[in-house]
Amino acid sequence: MASTLKVGGDGGWDYATLSADGRLLYVTRTTHTMVLDVLTGKTVADIGGQQRSHGVALVADAGRGFISDGKGASVLIFDLKTNATIGKVAASDDADSIIYDPASDRVLVFCGDAHRMVAIAPDVNPTGGQAAATIDLGGSPEFAVADGNGKVYVNIADKDEVAVVDTKAMKVVARWPTGPGRRPTGMSMDRATRRLFVGCRNNKLIVMNADDGKIVSDFPIGAFVDATAFYNGLAFASCGDGTLTFIREVSADKFELAQVVKTELGARTMAVDARSGTVYLPTADLAFPAPSASGLPPRPKPVAGTFRILVMSSRQGPAPAP
């Protein structure tokens, strides 16, 4: 591990989002969202007013950021320069992952319990404005990725499939099974070769053709995957069991397991600097409560004050094949 940013504070965490210049890291912390300067490790801002925050989407041209609030069934809008909250827009129940789709110029919010995708214009009126469109996804969505040309690929966790959304027509145009992968969560893409990287909770990374849904390859990964990424010929999956698995893209149809790097327990989400390949993985010390009467394994709780960001270079993993 190259370094650790000691952040502290209360709350759990979910998705992490990096600004385009690689300087600011936005991390949701249950009831608030922290903005961190990754060069100094200092907290630039702490945006409050959420009930159960999940993800952040940034739209630089609009000068706005958008935070999904699952419990509030809404999206909080803030100013990218001042980090001040400027309003909220209604979404749907369990507003979870959130991305920006440049092809449609819409912020897309994926609402798990409601089985919906909600599209919001970046310049929406933050006090009383409404969503531009709402689509029934036919299942519970997890993360999504946009190809930049009008298609968005969404993991439908409870159906073991990827839904393809045409964001110009705002409708689902295809549904592709994830084959040996079960309960898909993490999603990323190599837009040049049009390959999707789908992290699944049965310890599988699925490589899928983004044009026809064909399964190209699958690889073993760690437990509790929550994010995948692609950078410079490498796909990787961050898992809550404290592993980061690297897959090398030899060609569009040939992939190989390259390396498994140890991180820390709980480091299941990540953000990757598209310019340098630096990887940021949020985690904290975890406490494991006693088993409940139901017999289900208890969900670990973060220890207050121990939240941190693990920082590593993807170059610490394997170098891309020449």
Side-chain angles (χ1 to χ4, degrees):
M1 197 61 56
S3 62
T4 301
L5 303 179
K6 297 181 179 179
V7 180
D10 294 331
W13 69 93
D14 204 348
Y15 299 114
T17 302
L18 197 64
S19 60
D21 63 4
R23 181 68 182 263
L24 299 177
L25 183 69
Y26 299 78
V27 188
T28 54
R29 300 295 311 280
T30 307
T31 59
H32 59 114
T33 296
M34 303 185 79
V35 186
L36 310 174
D37 185 321
V38 299
L39 298 182
T40 66
K42 296 186 180 299
T43 300
V44 174
D46 200 350
I47 305 167
Q50 300 119 65
Q51 296 182 56
R52 182 62 179 92
S53 56
H54 286 284
V56 179
L58 308 173
V59 185
D61 289 346
R64 289 177 169 184
F66 300 80
I67 304 171
S68 57
D69 186 346
K71 193 172 181 180
S74 62
V75 174
L76 181 146
I77 305 171
F78 66 96
D79 185 282
L80 287 180
K81 290 184 178 179
T82 66
N83 295 302
T85 298
I86 59 177
K88 287 186 177 182
V89 174
S92 287
D93 291 343
D94 191 25
D96 194 335
S97 63
I98 182 170
I99 64 171
Y100 172 64
D101 172 42
S104 63
D105 189 27
R106 293 291 183 265
V107 174
L108 307 179
V109 192
F110 300 91
C111 306
D113 291 346
H115 294 184
R116 294 176 179 174
M117 185 190 87
V118 177
I120 298 171
D123 62 353
V124 65
N125 182 346
T127 55
Q130 297 182 344
T134 299
I135 298 173
D136 184 353
L137 294 172
S140 182
E142 279 284 343
F143 206 70
V145 65
D147 71 354
N149 296 314
K151 295 291 190 301
V152 165
Y153 304 89
V154 190
N155 283 325
I156 307 298
D158 60 337
K159 302 293 186 181
D160 297 333
E161 68 181 22
V162 171
V164 184
V165 178
D166 182 326
T167 60
K168 295 177 182 178
M170 284 296 169
K171 66 178 183 180
V172 176
V173 293
R175 298 182 184 278
W176 298 330
T178 51
R182 297 289 180 266
R183 198 156 186 87
T185 54
M187 171 76 82
S188 57
M189 184 177 189
D190 177 358
R191 294 179 177 86
T193 62
R194 297 194 56 78
R195 295 297 180 259
L196 301 170
F197 306 101
V198 184
C200 299
R201 284 290 174 87
N202 66 332
N203 301 17
K204 289 278 189 182
L205 177 66
I206 304 299
V207 183
M208 179 181 284
N209 186 318
D211 292 321
D212 58 15
K214 178 184 176 182
I215 304 297
V216 177
S217 290
D218 68 270
F219 293 90
I221 57 173
F224 308 111
V225 62
D226 225 6
T228 70
F230 180 83
Y231 171 78
N232 197 28
L234 293 171
F236 33 109
S238 56
C239 301
D241 66 353
T243 59
L244 183 63
T245 300
F246 289 86
I247 306 299
R248 180 181 289 113
E249 184 180 57
V250 180
S251 69
D253 292 317
K254 184 179 179 181
F255 294 79
E256 60 187 24
L257 180 63
Q259 188 175 353
V260 179
V261 176
K262 184 174 177 56
T263 58
E264 289 187 17
L265 194 66
R268 70 191 192 282
T269 60
M270 64 178 159
V272 180
D273 189 333
R275 305 168 311 156
S276 67
T278 302
V279 184
Y280 300 91
L281 301 116
T283 193
D285 292 347
L286 300 175
F288 292 83
S292 64
S294 66
L296 295 175
R299 184 169 186 170
K301 294 183 178 181
V303 177
T306 67
F307 181 71
R308 55 192 176 272
I309 307 294
L310 312 180
V311 185
M312 65 176 292
S313 170
S314 61
R315 295 185 181 91
Q316 290 176 260

